[in-house]
């Protein structure tokens, strides 16, 4: 109690990078120590069960990214999936079972009963891209944490994308580009129906957005 949070989920308009931006505010009268988690199961192929034994994870020493590869993928063997966080003290983990726990589920993951993830990465794990960001908030203090998940042709391209979209500024720039694109696209048709505000809402945005994103693209 006493913690207020808000999350934004979006994808860059011109790059395969997904963002989850979480704002957290401490409305209580005491200092609070929290952990924010990002958990992503890795497939890197058609079926998870057929590829999980081939996926390996590592932390890139140059960029600090958590990276994952599946060299046995017949089409995308050189592709790299990467995960990053805006917090410097982030802890990465490449083991799905460590986050969920034995027979665990995302509703009650075992990681929430631990102080810190182990940082295990490598081959032979049940693969996942998990991040833990510890946050300390004084009374009335607010912070913003950005988790990013992306894909690139190789490690060099992954580093470039992470550099371009890194941190709060990179995520904010990507979000503003998304807003600008959809405002421009959906603004090409505008209908006024004073007696039917619900119709205005549907036609002037939602239906066009849904049709383009879900049906055509």
């Amino acid at each position: 109690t006493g913690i207020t949070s808000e999350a934004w989920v979006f994808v860059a308009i011109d790059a395969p990078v997904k963002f989850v931006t979480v704002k957290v505010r401490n409305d209580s009268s005491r200092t609070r120590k929290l952990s924010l988690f990002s958990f992503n199961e890795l497939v890197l192929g058609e079926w998870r069960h057929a590829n999980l034994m081939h996926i390996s994870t590592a932390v890139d020493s140059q960029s600090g990214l958590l990276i994952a590869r599946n060299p046995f993928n017949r089409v995308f063997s050189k592709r790299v999936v990467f995960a990053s966080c805006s917090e410097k003290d982030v802890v990465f983990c490449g083991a799905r079972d460590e986050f969920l726990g034995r027979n665990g589920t995302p509703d009650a993951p075992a990681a929430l009963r631990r102080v810190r993830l182990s940082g295990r990465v490598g081959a032979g794990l049940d693969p996942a891209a998990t991040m833990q960001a510890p946050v300390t908030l004084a009374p009335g203090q607010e912070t913003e944490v950005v988790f990013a998940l992306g894909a690139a042709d190789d490690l060099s391209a992954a580093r470039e994308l992470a550099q371009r979209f890194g941190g709060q500024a990179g995520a904010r720039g990507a979000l503003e580009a998304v807003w600008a694109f959809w405002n421009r696209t959906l603004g090409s048709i505008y209908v006024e129906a004073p007696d039917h505000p619900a119709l205005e809402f549907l036609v002037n945005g939602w239906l066009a957005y849904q049709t383009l994103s879900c049906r055509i693209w």
Side-chain angles (χ1 to χ4, degrees), residues 75-87:
V75 181
F76 304 114
S77 60
K78 297 184 183 301
R79 292 280 181 93
V80 171
V81 166
F82 64 91
S84 67
C85 177
S86 60
E87 297 298 295

Side-chain angles (χ1 to χ4, degrees), residues 9 22 25 28 30 44 56 87 98 101 105 109 117-118 129-130 132 135-136 139 183 189 191 193 202 206-207 211 213:
V9 182
V22 184
R25 186 175 69 251
S28 70
R30 60 189 176 90
L44 278 67
S56 63
E87 297 298 295
E98 179 175 326
T105 67
L117 292 173
S118 68
T130 305
Q132 178 184 6
V135 174
T136 300
N183 286 336
I189 297 176
V191 173
L202 286 172
W206 176 247
L207 290 180
T211 302
S213 60

Side-chain angles (χ1 to χ4, degrees), residues 1 6 19 68 84 96 107 123 174:
T1 60
E6 175 183 332
F19 301 89
S84 67
R96 174 179 177 270
D107 295 333

Side-chain angles (χ1 to χ4, degrees), residues 13 175-190 204-206 208-209 212 217:
I13 203 69
L175 180 57
E176 290 177 351
V178 170
W179 281 338
F181 170 82
W182 283 111
N183 286 336
R184 183 174 63 254
T185 302
L186 302 180
S188 59
I189 297 176
Y190 183 78
N204 298 330
W206 176 247
Y209 169 81
L212 284 171
W217 292 338

Side-chain angles (χ1 to χ4, degrees), residues 74-126:
R74 290 173 294 179
V75 181
F76 304 114
S77 60
K78 297 184 183 301
R79 292 280 181 93
V80 171
V81 166
F82 64 91
S84 67
C85 177
S86 60
E87 297 298 295
K88 293 181 180 179
D89 296 330
V90 62
V91 182
F92 294 117
C93 182
R96 174 179 177 270
D97 55 348
E98 179 175 326
F99 178 78
L100 295 178
R102 180 167 180 161
N103 300 322
T105 67
D107 295 333
L112 270 63
R113 297 190 293 272
R114 301 179 52 160
V115 174
R116 185 181 177 91
L117 292 173
S118 68
R120 276 195 304 155
V121 294
L125 304 175
D126 187 359

